[in-house]
């Protein structure tokens, strides 16, 4: 069950400075936001927010992994939009729109800690600081390009490349990743669970990854990068 508690401004500021949205922001603006931050802890399976909920907070992952997904028409199919891990932001765009609602849901794939900031506080601080506003615009412009690249990836690359890139992004060498279910991975990779299972098995047998239960670690980074392309 989700639990929210206080967090030191130093700890919060450190995490905010590591996140993509606030990396280029003035230190004073980051500190002002850090003093308003709270820490939410989640257990595996806990829902951070549901699709359609009022977008009241911006979240930055401190530890663990979250799945951000959307229900397709009539709620018959779940589409995994992306996985968010340490230092990554969740629900960023929504908080900058008055009376917005979350366009997707977010749930913990494993125990996680998430820094929370009031959407109202973020909007107020951004409106007061041209430098922060510029940093926010630059970040979302970059995210727009990344989303277009992901669209191209889903349309034109094969499953080997898509899975290799996902592993390189979310389980960089020296770290491990607790995988979501094959159904969730399949939705994210635009394929079917049976093919995801087969490809993970192939990567394991070829020595590209180690796989214990649902925890994966990259063993041969060069091989995956070769599969993933430029």
């Amino acid at each position: 069950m989700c639990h929210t508690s206080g967090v030191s401004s130093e700890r919060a500021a450190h995490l905010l400075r590591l996140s993509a949205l606030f990396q280029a922001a003035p230190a004073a603006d980051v500190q002002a936001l850090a003093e308003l931050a709270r820490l939410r802890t989640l257990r595996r399976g806990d829902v951070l927010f549901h699709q359609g909920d009022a977008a009241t907070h911006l979240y930055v992952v401190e530890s663990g992994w979250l799945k951000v997904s959307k229900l397709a028409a009539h709620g018959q199919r779940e589409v995994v939009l992306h996985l968010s891990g340490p230092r990554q932001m969740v629900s960023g765009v929504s908080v900058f729109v008055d009376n917005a609602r979350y366009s997707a849901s977010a749930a913990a794939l494993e125990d996680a800690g998430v820094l929370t900031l009031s959407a109202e506080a973020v909007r107020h601080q951004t409106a007061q600081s041209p430098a922060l506003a510029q940093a926010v615009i630059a970040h979302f412009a970059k995210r727009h390009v990344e989303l277009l690249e992901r669209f191209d990836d889903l349309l034109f690359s094969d499953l080997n490349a898509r899975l290799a890139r996902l592993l390189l992004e979310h389980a960089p060498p020296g770290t491990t990743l607790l995988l979501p279910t094959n159904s969730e991975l399949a939705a994210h990779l635009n394929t079917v669970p049976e093919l995801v299972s087969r490809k993970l098995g192939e990567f394991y047998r070829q020595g590209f990854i180690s796989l214990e239960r649902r925890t994966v670690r990259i063993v041969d980074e060069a091989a995956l990068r070769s599969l993933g392309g430029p």
Side-chain angles (χ1 to χ4, degrees):
M1 193 169 190
C2 297
H3 173 71
T4 303
S5 61
V7 60
S8 71
S9 61
E10 292 81 6
R11 179 178 171 184
H14 176 70
L15 179 60
L16 291 176
R17 283 193 294 268
L18 292 175
S19 68
L21 177 60
F22 297 108
Q23 279 179 352
D29 292 324
V30 173
Q31 186 61 41
L33 290 171
E35 291 173 0
L36 302 174
R38 303 276 288 171
L39 184 68
R40 182 169 296 185
T41 55
L42 302 95
R43 297 295 185 187
R44 182 179 181 180
D46 283 350
V47 175
L48 183 62
F49 55 80
H50 289 96
Q51 180 177 331
D53 286 349
T56 57
H57 290 82
L58 178 148
Y59 302 97
V60 180
V61 181
E62 181 180 53
S63 61
W65 287 88
L66 275 64
K67 172 188 69 174
V68 179
S69 61
K70 187 177 181 69
L71 289 177
H74 310 299
Q76 297 299 311
R77 183 188 174 203
E78 181 187 37
V79 178
V80 179
L81 301 178
H82 58 87
L83 307 178
S84 293
R87 302 179 301 280
Q88 293 180 329
M89 183 177 56
V90 184
S91 78
V93 175
S94 300
V95 303
F96 290 97
V97 180
D98 289 336
N99 303 315
R101 295 189 176 275
Y102 296 121
S103 59
S105 300
L109 290 174
E110 59 185 5
D111 291 354
V114 181
L115 196 73
T116 76
L117 285 168
S118 158
E120 183 179 355
V122 174
R123 288 196 298 268
H124 175 77
Q125 192 67 29
T126 303
Q128 297 299 312
S129 171
L132 178 57
Q134 184 176 3
V136 168
I137 292 169
H139 169 77
F140 286 121
K142 181 180 178 182
R143 285 291 295 149
H144 178 70
V145 172
E146 291 172 348
L147 287 173
L148 290 177
E149 290 174 347
R150 171 159 164 71
F151 182 71
D152 285 345
D153 185 41
L154 289 174
L155 285 179
F156 303 117
S157 66
D158 67 19
L159 182 56
N160 280 327
R162 299 200 301 274
L163 181 56
R165 283 196 284 269
L166 181 144
L167 294 174
L168 287 166
E169 178 183 358
H170 294 296
T175 68
T176 60
L177 170 65
L178 180 64
L179 291 171
T181 67
N182 286 344
S183 294
E184 291 165 342
L185 277 174
H188 184 67
L189 295 170
N190 196 31
T191 185
V192 295
E194 294 77 11
L195 285 179
V196 169
S197 179
R198 185 185 306 169
K199 288 300 179 184
L200 284 170
E202 290 177 4
F203 282 13
Y204 172 76
R205 288 189 293 275
Q206 291 171 309
F208 300 164
I209 61 173
S210 69
L211 189 60
E212 185 175 351
R213 296 185 180 178
R214 297 298 297 175
T215 300
V216 66
R217 178 175 62 84
I218 291 177
V219 175
D220 191 339
E221 180 186 3
L224 290 184
R225 291 201 179 280
S226 176
L227 285 174

